[in-house]
Amino acid sequence: MASPLLLDKKHQARQQFDDKWPGMKPTVVKILKQLGVSTVEWQDLFWDVHKVTLWDEKGVLKIFEALKCVVSEYIKAVKQIIMKENDDSVLLKTYVMEWTKFFAQCPYISKPFKSLESHSAQNNSGKADAVKVTESVSVKKLMLDTWNEIIFSNINHKLQSSAMKLVYEERIGESFDPQLVIGVRESYVNLCYNEADKLRIYCDNFEKAYLEATRHFYISIASQYLDDNGVEKYMDYAHSKIIEEEERALRYLETSKECNSCHLLSEVCVKSLVSDVKVSILEDCPGFIAANQTDKLLKMFHLVDRVANGVEPMITHLEDHVIATGLMEMMDAAATITTDSEKYVERLLMLYRRYSVLVKEAFDDDPRFLTARDKSFKKVINDTTIFNLDLSTNNKSSSKTAPESKCPELLANFCDMLLRKSVFSKKLTSDEIEAKLKEVLLVLKYVDNKDVFMRYHKAHLTRRLILDCSTDSDLEENMVEWLRDVGMPADYINKLARMFQDIKVSEDLNQEFKDINKMRSTMTDNISIKILNAGAWARSSERVAVSLPPTLEDLIPEVEEFYRGKHSGRKLQWIHLMSNGVLTFVSELGKYDIEVTTFQMAVLFAWNERRNDKLSFHDLRLATELPESELRRTLWSLIAFPKLKRQILLCEPAVQSSKELHENSSFCVNHNFAIIKSGKVQKRGKVNFIGRLQLSTEKHREEDNEAIVALRILRIQEGIVRIMKMRKTISNAQLHTELVEILKNMFIPQKKMIKEQIELLIDHKYMKRDENNINKFIYLA
């Protein structure tokens, strides 16, 4: 049986609501209709709601239901006003106006009834569904949901269709009031009260419709415009339309942080205007690159770069162009560049600058295109089509190697031209020489077989230091440091540095020898002895036999005696191959100083006591004791020196190459030898017969090749063992990859050579194959 007190409270709550609502309703209607509400009416509405909410929850719910009826009646009346309009533009205008008024009043209606929500929350504190009850009496949610139910759900598609028509009209150049579309968009955004998914209604409806309308608009005209106007005009059109649509999206789409409508719109435009016609656009790319039309390439790049991986075909076209044109130009100039290292390097640098400018102007120095330039330029430099260097030797123990580019040899030759006293270097200042050396280093970074460059550079450096023909000693030492800076291995660089130290020590020893022996020999002042460390200079142990002039032969014991007094236990080895001197040659026309190698000196001294005699090849071989190959090369340098119009020796019968010299070839001194300048005979002068003559034998060259291959083998073995020691277990593919990464600063190891060294290390128990997988290796400690 219910308590009398409880029954009285229920009756009082019902009476309280019935008494107060008739006075509250007119004020609510005025607020909805934006009519004037007095201060008393406004305050009474707050007070009446508060009184009702003092009682139990049913009183609260009664006010809520009554309020819902009032809002529904108002919205139904608004619906009649909106739906009577047939014109799309007028319909939108009416809807936007009524929605704006309604949404503006939502906060005002909510304020007096705020106590409904707080009262519900208090009564439900501690209950699991407290939040749900609070939401169920939210006045703002009530108003939005009612609008959605009565108007929006019935007019949604018509609103979207009308808004998209207006946007279409704007796209084709017609004018309209943009606030109509903006107002519709705002209604979609604000209709959803759920804070966790506030943009759900907007995304599911307005955004979706806008994106679809945009896609449909451009997909129908893109291909046709391209066919009618060509790629160049289409790129301008597509770019302008994408920018235009992105600007339009900022007006008509939601731009809040939690919304990505603008990004989605951009993707739709890119797909319709670029992706779908990308193949047709890119067909003109090779032609633009070939014609160096950087402005058109830049437009194409910016356009297709909007597509994921869109520039990949452009990168491929650039690589193909660099390789094709680079190799073609090198082949066209092959006759020159294969014999002139200066023209070769200049040609490479010209190509590099051209492609760098192309990448800068056409692709904004984009890292992907810079990488493509480097990759393709590297192929041009390391190509073996025009000329190649064969490191294979007759040594059966050496691994057979594939031909390599001769580029490093030509680069080393060019460096030698710059660093050696020559006609070329004399035309340049120190700053110009330094700039050109750094350009060589730029090219060198693309060379695969850098170890070959180091071998040739060291050989040239050896000659310059021994012949005292360096342009600038500071530049020589700077070059060593620059090589260190570009990543050359420390052991190579340290040996070069030790060569300079040896020369300085040798100068001190030479001066001391002169001071001690000046009283004993008149030749002492005219002799410069270089005592060098074999470990740093790394010359072959081969000694070429030669019969020296008596004056030099008599000096050798004196030098050896002096050195033994300074360093006991050390052995001197005379390398006549690397020696040189100056002779005074007197002809019937003048007196000339000639710089010659020791071998040339030995040949010329054969006529010292018999100037008018003719000597055969056989006679000279007996007199000089030179090997036949060296004698042929030395004689050829004296009978066919390219810079002289009159040769110092004459040969009968005349020959066209050193290979035509035979046992019965006859040689004599040319008594009419002279230096001719501007058609006039000079009575005095100086001639350098050493020139570009290599200070090495054919056997030395073979030994150098063997040394390069042998060192590569050791480097590969060292790298494999280091990787295996660190990894313990590794696949064959990964081992190859890591090994190339370790060795790439000096050379790119060939797969065949790697395979051979793996087998060798397996045989020597450094590693083994996995029993279950032959492509996996295991380190053996």
Side-chain angles (χ1 to χ4, degrees):
M1 181 176 177
S3 167
L5 180 61
L6 183 60
L7 290 174
D8 185 60
K9 284 184 177 181
K10 289 180 179 180
H11 174 73
Q12 191 172 0
R14 186 169 57 252
Q15 188 179 24
Q16 188 80 31
F17 170 79
D18 293 339
D19 291 342
K20 296 296 182 183
W21 180 247
M24 296 162 63
K25 181 177 179 181
T27 305
V28 172
V29 172
K30 284 183 179 181
I31 296 172
L32 284 171
K33 293 181 178 182
Q34 292 185 330
L35 301 176
V37 176
S38 67
T39 303
V40 174
E41 290 175 320
W42 180 248
Q43 291 175 347
D44 285 346
L45 183 59
F46 275 85
W47 179 242
D48 292 341
V49 171
H50 176 66
K51 281 184 178 181
V52 174
T53 56
L54 286 176
W55 305 99
D56 64 4
E57 189 174 315
K58 285 190 177 181
V60 174
L61 294 177
K62 281 190 175 185
I63 292 180
F64 190 79
E65 290 298 327
L67 181 62
K68 183 176 181 180
C69 291
V70 174
V71 171
S72 297
E73 290 174 2
Y74 170 78
I75 293 175
K76 287 176 181 177
V78 170
K79 180 183 178 182
Q80 291 180 355
I81 296 173
I82 295 172
M83 296 302 290
K84 73 179 182 180
E85 303 295 346
N86 294 321
D87 183 82
D88 290 340
S89 180
V90 178
L91 174 72
L92 282 181
K93 188 174 182 179
T94 305
Y95 175 83
V96 170
M97 181 181 66
E98 294 297 337
W99 160 256
T100 304
K101 287 166 53 179
F102 176 78
F103 187 69
Q105 298 308 98
C106 283
Y108 293 105
I109 295 291
S110 298
K111 288 179 180 179
F113 295 95
K114 192 71 175 176
S115 58
L116 297 180
E117 299 175 16
S118 59
H119 178 78
S120 178
Q122 290 174 6
N123 290 343
N124 290 278
S125 59
K127 296 181 182 179
D129 59 347
V131 176
K132 294 180 181 179
V133 175
T134 303
E135 288 181 355
S136 67
V137 295
S138 168
V139 175
K140 186 174 182 179
K141 183 177 184 302
L142 162 70
M143 297 179 71
L144 295 176
D145 288 348
T146 306
W147 182 277
N148 193 349
E149 179 184 345
I150 296 175
I151 295 181
F152 183 77
S153 60
N154 294 306
I155 204 175
N156 175 22
H157 294 295
K158 195 169 185 179
L159 285 175
Q160 286 179 182
S161 176
S162 300
M164 294 311 112
K165 284 181 181 178
L166 293 180
V167 175
Y168 173 82
E169 290 174 3
E170 183 179 77
R171 284 177 176 142
I172 61 176
E174 297 181 9
S175 60
F176 75 99
D177 183 3
Q179 289 301 320
L180 296 180
V181 179
I182 295 171
V184 172
R185 190 270 323 280
E186 289 179 348
S187 73
Y188 278 84
V189 171
N190 294 318
L191 265 175
C192 188
Y193 187 74
N194 184 4
E195 291 295 333
D197 192 12
K198 188 176 180 180
L199 297 173
R200 177 178 53 81
I201 294 177
Y202 161 79
C203 292
D204 292 346
N205 296 276
F206 188 86
E207 178 189 83
K208 184 178 179 181
Y210 192 97
L211 296 179
E212 178 59 27
T214 303
R215 186 193 68 79
H216 186 267
F217 178 82
Y218 286 110
I219 204 170
S220 61
I221 62 175
S223 297
Q224 189 61 44
Y225 191 97
L226 179 59
D227 293 339
D228 295 342
N229 299 277
V231 171
E232 186 178 355
K233 288 185 177 180
Y234 179 80
M235 290 191 298
D236 291 331
Y237 169 78
H239 181 73
S240 64
K241 287 302 177 182
I242 291 173
I243 299 300
E244 178 185 310
E245 287 299 334
E246 288 175 344
E247 292 174 351
R248 184 176 289 118
L250 295 175
R251 295 196 302 271
Y252 298 147
L253 295 178
E254 179 63 16
T255 58
S256 57
K257 292 182 180 180
E258 59 270 20
C259 184
N260 65 341
S261 294
C262 292
H263 176 70
L264 294 174
L265 183 278
S266 181
E267 288 183 346
V268 168
C269 291
V270 168
K271 185 178 186 311
S272 302
L273 290 167
V274 185
S275 296
D276 292 348
V277 293
K278 183 180 69 173
V279 174
S280 299
I281 294 174
L282 290 173
E283 283 179 354
D284 284 9
C285 182
F288 290 162
I289 294 177
N292 198 38
Q293 295 176 310
T294 54
D295 53 339
K296 297 178 183 178
L297 287 170
L298 188 61
K299 292 177 185 177
M300 185 179 291
F301 165 62
H302 286 312
L303 195 62
V304 299
D305 193 33
R306 293 173 174 270
V307 181
N309 300 319
V311 298
E312 293 300 324
M314 296 189 75
I315 292 174
T316 302
H317 292 319
L318 176 65
E319 289 179 357
D320 293 343
H321 171 76
V322 172
I323 294 171
T325 58
L327 291 178
M328 181 182 68
E329 292 198 21
M330 298 299 282
M331 289 178 185
D332 290 343
T336 304
I337 63 178
T338 51
T339 56
D340 190 330
S341 57
E342 178 193 358
K343 287 184 171 55
Y344 173 73
V345 174
E346 287 299 329
R347 176 75 59 170
L348 283 178
L349 290 171
M350 180 197 70
L351 290 173
Y352 180 81
R353 294 189 194 102
R354 183 198 303 167
Y355 300 139
S356 296
V357 170
L358 175 63
V359 172
K360 180 178 178 59
E361 294 181 352
F363 308 108
D364 278 343
D365 271 345
D366 185 274
R368 293 167 293 180
F369 287 88
L370 288 173
T371 301
R373 176 206 64 187
D374 292 346
K375 179 181 175 183
S376 48
F377 189 65
K378 187 174 184 179
K379 288 185 178 179
V380 173
I381 286 180
N382 293 289
D383 182 73
T384 58
T385 305
I386 304 172
F387 42 56
N388 60 66
L389 175 69
D390 191 354
L391 294 179
S392 300
T393 67
N394 294 325
N395 191 341
K396 294 181 180 179
S397 62
S398 297
S399 178
K400 180 71 174 176
T401 61
E404 298 179 359
S405 170
K406 204 175 181 182
C407 176
E409 179 183 348
L410 294 173
L411 290 179
N413 291 346
F414 184 59
C415 288
D416 183 52
M417 290 177 60
L418 294 169
L419 293 169
R420 174 171 49 87
K421 292 176 183 177
S422 63
V423 176
F424 177 68
S425 62
K426 287 177 182 178
K427 297 177 183 177
L428 305 172
T429 65
S430 293
D431 290 340
E432 289 172 334
I433 292 175
E434 181 177 332
K436 287 185 177 295
L437 287 172
K438 290 188 174 178
E439 287 179 339
V440 171
L441 295 175
L442 173 65
V443 175
L444 183 61
K445 79 175 186 178
Y446 296 101
V447 173
D448 283 341
N449 47 343
K450 297 182 181 68
D451 53 346
V452 175
F453 170 84
M454 290 302 294
R455 281 279 174 176
Y456 280 100
H457 179 69
K458 185 177 180 182
H460 292 314
L461 176 61
T462 299
R463 180 176 56 195
R464 292 194 298 272
L465 293 179
I466 289 174
L467 299 180
D468 293 323
C469 62
S470 290
T471 305
D472 188 329
S473 58
D474 290 336
L475 274 177
E476 290 279 15
E477 297 189 34
N478 288 342
M479 182 64 178
V480 173
E481 292 306 312
W482 295 334
L483 288 171
R484 190 191 303 275
D485 293 340
V486 297
M488 292 297 179
D491 55 344
Y492 281 84
I493 301 302
N494 292 339
K495 284 184 179 180
L496 296 183
R498 284 177 60 189
M499 291 170 70
F500 292 108
Q501 295 172 4
D502 274 4
I503 289 294
K504 292 174 183 176
V505 171
S506 178
E507 289 174 355
D508 295 338
L509 286 172
N510 187 62
Q511 187 59 48
E512 188 175 348
F513 174 73
K514 287 182 178 181
D515 293 341
I516 293 174
N517 291 275
K518 68 168 54 176
M519 301 300 294
R520 293 164 50 187
S521 174
T522 57
M523 281 290 295
T524 303
D525 287 338
N526 297 323
I527 294 295
S528 176
I529 303 165
K530 290 183 172 62
I531 301 175
L532 309 174
N533 189 313
W537 297 74
R539 296 308 302 173
S540 168
S541 61
E542 178 196 19
R543 297 183 65 181
V544 180
V546 63
S547 178
L548 296 175
T551 309
L552 293 179
E553 196 72 53
D554 294 341
L555 193 65
I556 289 177
E558 295 182 24
V559 176
E560 291 181 343
E561 182 183 352
F562 163 75
Y563 191 74
R564 280 195 295 268
K566 300 289 293 183
H567 303 283
S568 61
R570 293 190 184 180
K571 182 181 178 182
L572 280 181
Q573 185 180 41
W574 292 90
I575 309 295
H576 302 308
L577 173 70
M578 300 169 68
S579 303
N580 65 94
V582 179
L583 298 178
T584 300
F585 182 85
V586 180
S587 73
E588 294 179 357
L589 300 177
K591 191 175 182 180
Y592 309 99
D593 293 329
I594 56 175
E595 296 180 45
V596 290
T597 66
T598 306
F599 294 169
Q600 290 170 330
M601 187 185 299
V603 170
L604 291 174
F605 257 85
W607 280 277
N608 199 39
E609 302 295 333
R610 42 185 181 274
R611 292 176 57 85
N612 297 316
D613 290 0
K614 290 186 177 182
L615 301 178
S616 68
F617 185 89
H618 176 74
D619 295 335
L620 289 172
R621 189 169 70 239
L622 292 176
T624 62
E625 299 181 8
L626 282 170
E628 184 175 328
S629 61
E630 288 304 313
L631 181 58
R632 286 179 185 276
R633 188 164 68 159
T634 304
L635 282 170
W636 180 253
S637 69
L638 295 172
I639 67 174
F641 194 69
K643 294 183 179 179
L644 294 176
K645 293 183 179 179
R646 298 186 183 184
Q647 302 299 327
I648 198 167
L649 292 182
L650 301 176
C651 176
E652 294 180 1
V655 294
Q656 300 300 317
S657 70
S658 61
K659 294 180 180 179
E660 295 180 19
L661 296 176
H662 51 81
E663 289 290 318
N664 296 323
S665 294
S666 177
F667 304 89
C668 65
V669 173
N670 183 6
H671 295 292
N672 289 320
F673 173 78
I675 299 174
I676 299 175
K677 289 184 179 179
S678 303
K680 295 182 179 180
V681 174
Q682 308 295 312
K683 292 184 178 181
R684 297 284 296 178
K686 189 174 183 179
V687 181
N688 183 352
F689 276 91
I690 300 173
R692 294 292 296 156
L693 188 65
Q694 294 291 329
L695 297 181
S696 63
T697 64
E698 291 301 319
K699 188 170 183 180
H700 275 154
R701 178 180 289 273
E702 186 176 316
E703 285 184 352
D704 282 344
N705 288 348
E706 288 182 0
I708 292 173
V709 175
L711 186 57
R712 288 184 179 183
I713 289 172
L714 289 176
R715 295 292 190 196
I716 291 173
Q717 291 175 356
E718 179 187 19
I720 292 173
V721 171
R722 189 193 310 171
I723 293 169
M724 292 302 303
K725 192 172 183 179
M726 179 175 62
R727 299 294 185 191
K728 305 302 181 187
T729 301
I730 193 171
S731 67
N732 185 36
Q734 188 178 358
L735 177 60
H736 277 247
T737 301
E738 294 191 16
L739 187 60
V740 170
E741 187 65 26
I742 290 175
L743 300 176
K744 68 180 182 180
N745 283 339
M746 284 310 299
F747 67 96
I748 304 297
Q750 297 173 8
K751 291 182 179 180
K752 180 182 177 183
M753 190 177 287
I754 295 175
K755 183 179 179 182
E756 289 173 354
Q757 301 320 306
I758 288 175
E759 296 299 331
L760 181 67
L761 291 173
I762 290 175
D763 291 341
H764 286 77
K765 308 300 181 184
Y766 283 95
M767 55 195 288
K768 68 175 184 178
R769 280 191 171 86
D770 190 315
E771 294 178 357
N772 300 319
N773 186 352
I774 62 172
N775 288 318
K776 183 174 287 186
F777 302 109
I778 300 171
Y779 176 65
L780 298 177

